[in-house]
């Protein structure tokens, strides 16, 4: 009896349906070598083994702590399973392309070479997913967030563009259905209601709260200096001016989750000792009718150990301003504490870590009006249709996704460095 070689379902369909004319062999030289760091693969296998052991235990008896840990490890176990499955498929396809002897089918080998290209591309994606699943989840990833927007270098033009950036994020939230509210929106003193030709107002500071869970993880890559290059409407000689806007992304908390945050716990990032705060009341400034400058409703709060200051005057009630100031102060202090831990961890790993401290050198993005271009410098991405970006359209999604991918890439690099350092220490 003639031995029939095994054929996978996808290959058999392709074999019977393939056209009867030559196809270009695009995949013949496709690379299928894994680029996954060996240290990460070892870590993934150890975590998957832990996940499988926990699942066996949970099948016999339920334990809340073990169930939580198993849930945390599930994405690693799933990513590793998909990666191993793709590697097995590639090994099988390679054997089909390199087969010989009387049972070798040249048509089947040609199809296998084409399939190999698809699996190789899929393997690269799965390796990225596996590496990302191994990175520690940010402690604030599941929280809502606060976007703080302030003008940087550039004078009045910088204040105008700060208003545009604020509107850009509000437009994004409206399009994607994110629940958002304006916590603070202050115009520059002395600028009055003077607006630009595009209707921009001279913004001094704005704080936009995005109340959906997971907003911090979605927006954390937006922190940094946003640069704009354009010709101001007041420029008579047509010269391009460069200005900048600083964006901070801070963790926030939903009102319903106050108890879960445990603000009274000194171990919490959000804990603030009331004795370390200096709270002052003052009269509100700016336009606003008879109420302004007649009652001391504005609040200025200073955290003495760090010098962090929060001012709030957006509400007529002093009590409401005080609550909002407390909320913002907790978010800023929590972000500073998390950043300090990250900096210390980065120093110990001798690795480079992007922090939330923003200086003139932290340019992450450029919005060039003359070239109708938005560039994310970290991801080396250029997109056009700048109006769609500034309106918070779907083109902005592409830019933000690139920034998040870059951030995950840096976290993967840090994880590899950490695992390799552990391996060297263990070998001594």
């Amino acid at each position: 009896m003639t031995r029939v070689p095994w054929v996978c379902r996808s290959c058999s369909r392709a074999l019977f349906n393939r056209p009867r004319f030559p196809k270009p062999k695009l995949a013949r030289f496709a690379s299928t070598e894994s680029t996954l760091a060996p240290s990460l693969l070892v870590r993934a296998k150890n975590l998957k083994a832990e996940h499988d052991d926990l699942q066996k235990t949970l099948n016999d008896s339920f334990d809340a702590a073990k169930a939580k840990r198993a849930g945390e490890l599930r994405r690693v176990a799933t990513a590793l399973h998909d990666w191993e499955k793709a590697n097995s498929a590639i090994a099988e396809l390679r054997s089909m392309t390199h087969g010989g002897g009387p049972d070798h089918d040249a048509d089947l080998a040609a199809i296998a070479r084409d399939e190999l290209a698809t699996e190789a591309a899929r393997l690269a994606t799965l390796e990225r997913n596996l590496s990302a699943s191994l990175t520690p989840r940010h402690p604030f990833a599941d929280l809502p967030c606060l976007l703080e927007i302030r003008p940087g270098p550039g004078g009045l033009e910088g204040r105008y563009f700060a208003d545009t950036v604020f509107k850009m994020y509000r437009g994004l939230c409206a399009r994607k259905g994110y629940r958002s509210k304006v916590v603070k929106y202050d115009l520059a003193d002395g600028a009055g209601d003077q607006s630009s030709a595009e209707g921009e107002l001279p913004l001094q500071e704005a704080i936009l709260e995005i109340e959906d869970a997971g907003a911090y993880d979605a927006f954390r890559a937006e922190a940094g200096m946003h640069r704009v290059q354009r010709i101001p409407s007041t420029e008579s000689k047509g010269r391009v001016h460069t200005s900048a806007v600083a964006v901070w992304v801070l963790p926030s908390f939903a009102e319903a989750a106050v108890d879960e945050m445990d603000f009274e716990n000194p171990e919490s990032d959000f804990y603030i000792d009331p004795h370390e705060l200096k709270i002052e009341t003052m009269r509100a400034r700016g336009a606003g009718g008879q109420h302004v400058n007649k009652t001391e409703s504005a609040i200025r709060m200073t955290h003495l150990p760090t010098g962090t200051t929060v001012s709030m005057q957006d509400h007529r009630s002093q009590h409401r301003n005080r609550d909002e100031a407390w909320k913002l102060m907790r978010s800023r202090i929590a972000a500073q504490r998390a950043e300090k831990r990250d900096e210390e961890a980065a120093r110990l790993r001798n690795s480079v870590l992007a922090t939330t401290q923003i200086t003139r050198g932290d340019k992450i993005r450029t919005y060039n009006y003359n070239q109708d271009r938005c560039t994310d410098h970290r991801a080396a991405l250029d997109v056009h249709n700048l109006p769609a970006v500034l309106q918070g359209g779907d083109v902005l999604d592409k830019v933000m996704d690139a920034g998040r991918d870059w951030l995950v890439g840096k976290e993967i690099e840090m994880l590899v460095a950490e695992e390799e350092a552990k391996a060297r220490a263990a070998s001594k």
Side-chain angles (χ1 to χ4, degrees):
M1 186 174 70
T2 305
R3 183 171 175 269
V4 179
W6 178 87
V7 181
C8 71
R9 185 177 300 175
S10 61
C11 287
S12 64
R13 285 198 303 266
L15 178 61
F16 289 112
N17 296 327
R18 69 189 300 230
R20 298 304 178 188
F21 51 83
K23 290 179 65 178
K25 298 178 181 179
L26 300 176
R28 184 169 185 176
F29 303 104
S31 174
T32 55
E33 296 300 324
S34 173
T35 58
L36 188 67
S39 58
L40 292 189
L41 184 57
V42 171
R43 177 181 173 89
K45 290 182 176 180
N46 290 338
L47 292 177
K48 184 179 184 298
E50 182 185 352
H51 172 268
D52 293 344
D53 290 342
L54 287 170
Q55 284 297 121
K56 291 177 182 178
T57 303
L58 290 169
N59 289 337
D60 298 330
S61 60
F62 179 79
D63 180 271
K66 291 180 180 179
K68 181 180 179 181
R69 177 61 176 166
E72 293 171 351
L73 298 177
R74 187 171 296 116
R75 67 178 187 139
V76 177
T78 302
L80 179 60
H81 175 267
D82 293 342
W83 181 83
E84 289 177 335
K85 187 176 178 181
N87 270 293
S88 297
I90 286 176
E92 184 178 308
L93 289 167
R94 277 178 168 171
S95 68
M96 294 169 64
T97 60
H98 296 301
D103 294 334
H104 179 66
D105 189 316
D107 287 339
L108 190 59
I111 295 172
R113 282 193 292 270
D114 292 340
E115 291 284 332
L116 195 58
T118 302
E119 285 297 323
R122 182 168 173 268
L123 180 66
T125 301
L126 293 175
E127 285 183 354
R128 176 79 173 183
N129 293 342
L130 177 56
S131 299
S133 73
L134 292 168
T135 58
R137 190 160 175 80
H138 196 285
F140 301 146
D142 296 323
L143 292 178
C145 73
L146 296 170
L147 297 183
E148 289 195 35
I149 302 164
R150 301 177 205 158
L156 185 59
E157 184 67 13
R159 300 189 191 283
Y160 284 150
F161 190 66
D163 193 39
T164 291
V165 171
F166 169 73
K167 292 173 181 174
M168 177 180 75
Y169 288 125
R170 288 198 75 183
L172 174 72
C173 291
R175 178 176 60 84
K176 304 195 80 167
Y178 294 151
R179 293 176 295 116
S180 64
K181 70 176 183 180
V182 179
V183 176
K184 188 173 186 179
Y185 185 85
D186 289 347
L187 300 181
D189 290 339
D193 294 330
Q194 178 184 356
S195 62
S196 69
E198 290 77 22
E200 303 158 314
L201 294 176
L203 189 64
Q204 175 69 27
E205 180 183 13
I207 301 175
L208 181 68
E209 182 176 17
I210 303 172
E211 299 172 300
D212 294 76
Y216 182 85
D217 194 47
F219 284 86
R220 64 192 181 104
E222 294 301 290
M225 198 64 84
H226 294 236
R227 183 177 69 171
V228 58
Q229 294 176 320
R230 64 181 182 182
I231 302 173
S233 57
T234 56
E235 172 57 54
S236 59
K237 297 183 179 179
R239 292 173 295 190
V240 174
H241 287 220
T242 299
S243 306
V245 171
V247 175
W248 280 264
V249 182
L250 306 177
S252 184
F253 46 88
E255 295 296 336
V258 169
D259 293 337
E260 299 176 13
M261 302 304 299
D262 194 8
F263 297 143
E264 303 305 319
N265 181 4
E267 300 299 320
S268 169
D269 281 334
F270 289 89
Y271 172 79
I272 295 177
D273 185 345
H275 296 97
E276 295 180 343
L277 281 183
K278 178 182 178 182
I279 301 177
E280 304 167 272
T281 60
M282 63 195 73
R283 294 181 179 180
R285 298 176 290 109
Q290 296 179 355
H291 173 73
V292 175
N293 298 324
K294 291 190 177 181
T295 61
E296 294 191 341
S297 60
I299 293 292
R300 181 166 61 202
M301 190 176 290
T302 304
H303 186 238
L304 299 176
T306 62
T308 303
T309 300
V310 168
S311 298
M312 190 63 60
Q313 64 169 32
D314 283 32
H315 307 286
R316 296 184 61 173
S317 164
Q318 184 188 108
H319 178 74
R320 179 77 181 277
N321 282 329
R322 185 184 296 267
D323 287 346
E324 293 288 354
W326 260 107
K327 187 175 184 178
L328 183 56
M329 180 64 78
R330 285 193 180 106
S331 296
R332 288 184 179 176
I333 295 301
Q336 291 174 15
R337 288 168 177 166
E339 181 181 324
K340 186 175 181 180
R341 284 197 306 271
D342 288 345
E343 286 178 339
E344 179 63 16
R347 186 185 66 80
L348 293 175
R349 289 191 298 264
N350 193 27
S351 178
V352 177
L353 174 66
T355 71
T356 54
Q357 290 182 344
I358 297 175
T359 65
R360 292 187 65 166
D362 293 325
K363 176 186 65 180
I364 67 167
R365 197 171 294 159
T366 292
Y367 306 80
N368 189 300
Y369 277 62
N370 287 2
Q371 298 177 10
D372 188 32
R373 168 179 55 84
C374 178
T375 298
D376 191 284
H377 300 286
R378 302 162 298 177
L381 173 74
D382 287 333
V383 298
H384 294 275
N385 195 354
L386 185 58
V389 173
L390 297 177
Q391 291 167 11
D394 55 5
V395 184
L396 178 59
D397 291 343
K398 184 177 180 180
V399 180
M400 292 178 63
D401 289 345
R404 280 194 299 271
D405 287 345
W406 174 87
L407 193 57
V408 170
K410 299 301 290 184
E411 291 171 345
I412 292 172
E413 289 177 14
M414 289 162 49
L415 181 62
V416 171
E418 182 179 344
E419 291 300 314
E420 290 177 350
K422 288 179 181 178
R424 286 194 298 268
S427 65
K428 292 181 180 179

